[in-house]
Amino acid sequence: MTKLPNWNLNRKEAGYRPVHERITDYTEVEQTLNRDDRVLQASRCMDCGVPFCHWACPLGNRMPEWQALLAKGDWHAAYALLATTHNFPEFTARLCPALCEKSCVMNLHGQPVTTRENEAAVTEYAFAEGYVKPAPPTTRTGKRVAVVGSGPAGLALADMLNRKGHYVTVFEKDEHPGGLLRFGIPDFKLGKDLIDRRLNILLQEGVVFENNTEVGRDLDPAALLHDYDAVCLAVGAGQPRDLPVEGRSLKGVHFALELLQQQNRVISRDAVNRVSTSTNELISAKGKNVLVIGGGDTGSDCVGTAVRHKAAVVTQIEIMPEPPEHYNPATPWPNYPLVKKTSSSHLEGCTRRWNLSTRRFIGENGHLTGVEVVAVEWEKDATGRLIMKETGLPEIIPAGLALLSMGFVHPVHEGLLDRLGVAYDARGNVTADATFQTSVPKLFVAGDAHYGAGLVVRAIASGRQAAAAIDRFLA
Ligand SMILES: Cc1cc2nc3c(=O)[nH]c(=O)nc-3n(C[C@H](O)[C@H](O)[C@H](O)COP(=O)(O)OP(=O)(O)OC[C@H]3O[C@@H](n4cnc5c(N)ncnc54)[C@H](O)[C@@H]3O)c2cc1C
Ligand code: SF4
């Protein structure tokens, strides 16, 4: 049995599979440590008097407590405690930027506890040992709740409300549930079998899924409000930011999600003819110069996908300046550090450039051949607002495929939301009061649709909070 805390140990990460191997397939790039190492890593947690990790995690996970159990070798109890605050640790364990680790006291020396990887180990052990079992509610309240959208927010809502004994139906426009977990995030970050494994449990617990059902098109939202005791929108922030410059309509210019969703469907061998691109053609990066416009996570996922397509050259550009490498005085510990992030995809072969603004797409015979960019710099005006100034001469980056990865502005308004006549804030997100209730009676909202594009962990936390509010409303 390990003693606590184990200060003489260094942080040890499992790391990624070798680049030459992982770029030939789409399976998860991250490896796992053996169980003994995992127990030792958990023993590094100091059980701080003020655990900043609690404060940083939107779910309020109790990392010192469950890691103390893990350090003692009690894997079962560690999972049981983790599951009290978290519905789907198997997703965040792979996808979370580990807000907890950034605020870990050990991070003051750059050696935070490997909480995210420990979360993965504890959860996988729990599934392997068979103690993640369906636990249907013993009594039903008779109340009916409709959840629109089956991303992490919708799934957390459904799980929590079902546990309370309400009848829950999840309506999803795609052919399978999961939202961006399934159709967006690449398989090399999250294997889709993990979503199915969790869905099987929710199904056995009594949650009903109506897939291929777009509320607002296939189903009248007014009828939904009439037929159910409460309806919750968890429709995500699906409106991508566009770049309406000259040449935008050339063949070869796509939104990032057009490529990423297509790739998810190709891998799952789902009907590829469901692939929705502006041209209805399969997008391929093979042999092409690929330009990813936007320096964030979605852009990085495009880089990894283009590399696996065997692109000739992959370049990712960002309009903002290059962030500092390890420490940013503007975001000191225990805040989330705004520093340069290098993902597993970046390590697979790509050129990254900053301070470049896109002026126009250039083409021949209707096909993209290059993108004109110009160097910019940023200055603060008298009010502290950042103002962009063009500095350099324009430059043409050769490109046969350009992927727009500049974020998402708000949920899609046309269709469901406009038909409901629901109110938006200035950024276009659905507004709600402190009980998650929107301007429409009986209608609630959770996840990215409420606060804009965010993180999986925030969506799950929002779904849990909205479910608690809906449960109080129904009572
Ligand atoms: C490419 C990409 C990579 C990302 N990588 C990460 C990451 O590594 N880590 C991380 O923490 N976050 C990541 N994110 C962000 C994360 O995926 C989102 O914040 C999260 O999925 C939001 O959850 P949600 O449930 O609110 O919405 P979504 O996951 O967007 O789900 C919304 C669901 O609603 C459905 N829907 C919409 N309208 C209707 C309708 N009218 N009727 C029926 N169904 C409807 C949609 O089809 C979708 O299934 C990434 C996002 C993208 C785009
Ligand atoms: S969900 Fe994210 S922030 Fe919360 S404990 Fe897990 S890795 Fe840390």
Side-chain angles (χ1 to χ4, degrees), residues 175-176 182-183 187 192 262-271:
E175 67 275 34
H176 296 299
R182 189 184 297 275
F183 297 122
D187 293 56
K192 307 311 169 203
Q262 168 196 293
Q263 192 57 46
N264 292 137
R265 288 194 163 98
V266 168
I267 293 168
S268 69
R269 295 197 176 82
D270 275 349

Side-chain angles (χ1 to χ4, degrees), residues 43-371:
S43 75
R44 294 183 65 242
C45 178
M46 299 191 298
D47 194 12
C48 306
V50 179
F52 290 92
C53 50
H54 271 257
W55 160 83
C57 176
L59 289 161
N61 282 351
R62 298 169 63 189
M63 305 77 169
E65 289 85 350
W66 68 254
Q67 291 190 110
L69 291 164
L70 175 58
K72 287 179 190 147
D74 194 344
W75 291 71
H76 193 156
Y79 179 77
L81 186 56
L82 175 60
T84 59
T85 55
H86 201 342
N87 303 67
F88 316 122
E90 65 274 30
F91 303 152
T92 51
R94 288 161 174 85
L95 299 170
C96 193
L99 313 170
C100 53
E101 293 184 22
K102 309 300 182 293
S103 70
C104 176
V105 172
M106 308 272 267
N107 196 28
L108 285 166
H109 303 286
Q111 294 246 355
V113 175
T114 53
T115 303
R116 181 184 60 79
E117 291 190 25
N118 294 350
E119 193 172 290
V122 162
T123 310
E124 287 314 311
Y125 186 88
F127 274 101
E129 293 297 313
Y131 48 78
V132 188
K133 288 199 194 92
T138 45
T139 52
R140 288 286 178 186
T141 62
K143 303 278 184 191
R144 301 174 74 220
V145 185
V147 175
V148 186
S150 67
L155 293 180
L157 267 159
D159 189 16
M160 296 307 281
L161 288 165
N162 185 58
R163 285 188 206 179
K164 292 280 181 192
H166 307 303
Y167 291 110
V168 183
T169 306
V170 181
F171 295 93
E172 170 53 57
K173 72 177 166 59
D174 285 331
E175 67 275 34
H176 296 299
L180 287 171
L181 296 174
R182 189 184 297 275
F183 297 122
I185 294 175
D187 293 56
F188 56 77
K189 277 168 61 180
L190 178 75
K192 307 311 169 203
D193 51 326
L194 301 174
I195 308 174
D196 295 332
R197 185 174 68 179
R198 184 58 76 168
L199 286 173
N200 277 336
I201 292 177
L202 295 181
L203 281 164
Q204 290 177 64
E205 289 174 338
V207 177
V208 174
F209 289 90
E210 297 283 353
N211 303 330
N212 287 316
T213 310
E214 181 171 341
V215 182
R217 197 193 64 176
D218 306 315
L219 200 63
D220 179 6
L224 212 59
L225 278 167
H226 178 266
D227 294 346
Y228 287 82
D229 297 295
V231 177
C232 190
L233 301 169
V235 292
Q239 188 72 51
R241 184 169 284 112
D242 205 349
L243 192 56
V245 296
E246 185 187 325
R248 170 65 181 87
S249 58
L250 286 167
K251 280 194 176 153
V253 184
H254 295 279
F255 284 121
L257 267 193
E258 293 181 60
L259 171 74
L260 297 173
Q261 291 178 338
Q262 168 196 293
Q263 192 57 46
N264 292 137
R265 288 194 163 98
V266 168
I267 293 168
S268 69
R269 295 197 176 82
D270 275 349
V272 178
N273 60 10
R274 277 197 57 115
V275 169
S276 63
T277 67
S278 46
T279 56
N280 261 346
E281 282 170 13
L282 274 184
I283 305 164
S284 171
K286 190 167 182 182
K288 291 182 184 158
N289 293 324
V290 177
L291 183 67
V292 178
I293 303 177
D297 286 344
T298 305
S300 143
D301 291 347
C302 290
V303 168
T305 305
V307 167
R308 282 162 181 74
H309 275 206
K310 300 192 171 39
V313 177
V314 185
T315 309
Q316 185 179 21
I317 62 170
E318 165 59 46
I319 199 168
M320 298 305 291
E322 182 173 357
E325 193 77 50
H326 297 297
Y327 175 71
N328 186 344
T331 52
W333 180 92
N335 293 296
Y336 188 81
L338 298 178
V339 292
K340 184 173 161 189
K341 203 172 147 191
T342 299
S343 69
S344 62
S345 296
H346 291 135
L347 300 171
E348 291 164 0
C350 113
T351 305
R352 300 166 78 186
R353 299 177 62 187
W354 285 266
N355 274 329
L356 287 180
S357 171
T358 306
R359 275 191 171 170
R360 65 185 174 116
F361 298 103
I362 300 163
E364 276 172 30
N365 304 322
H367 288 267
L368 180 76
T369 55
V371 181

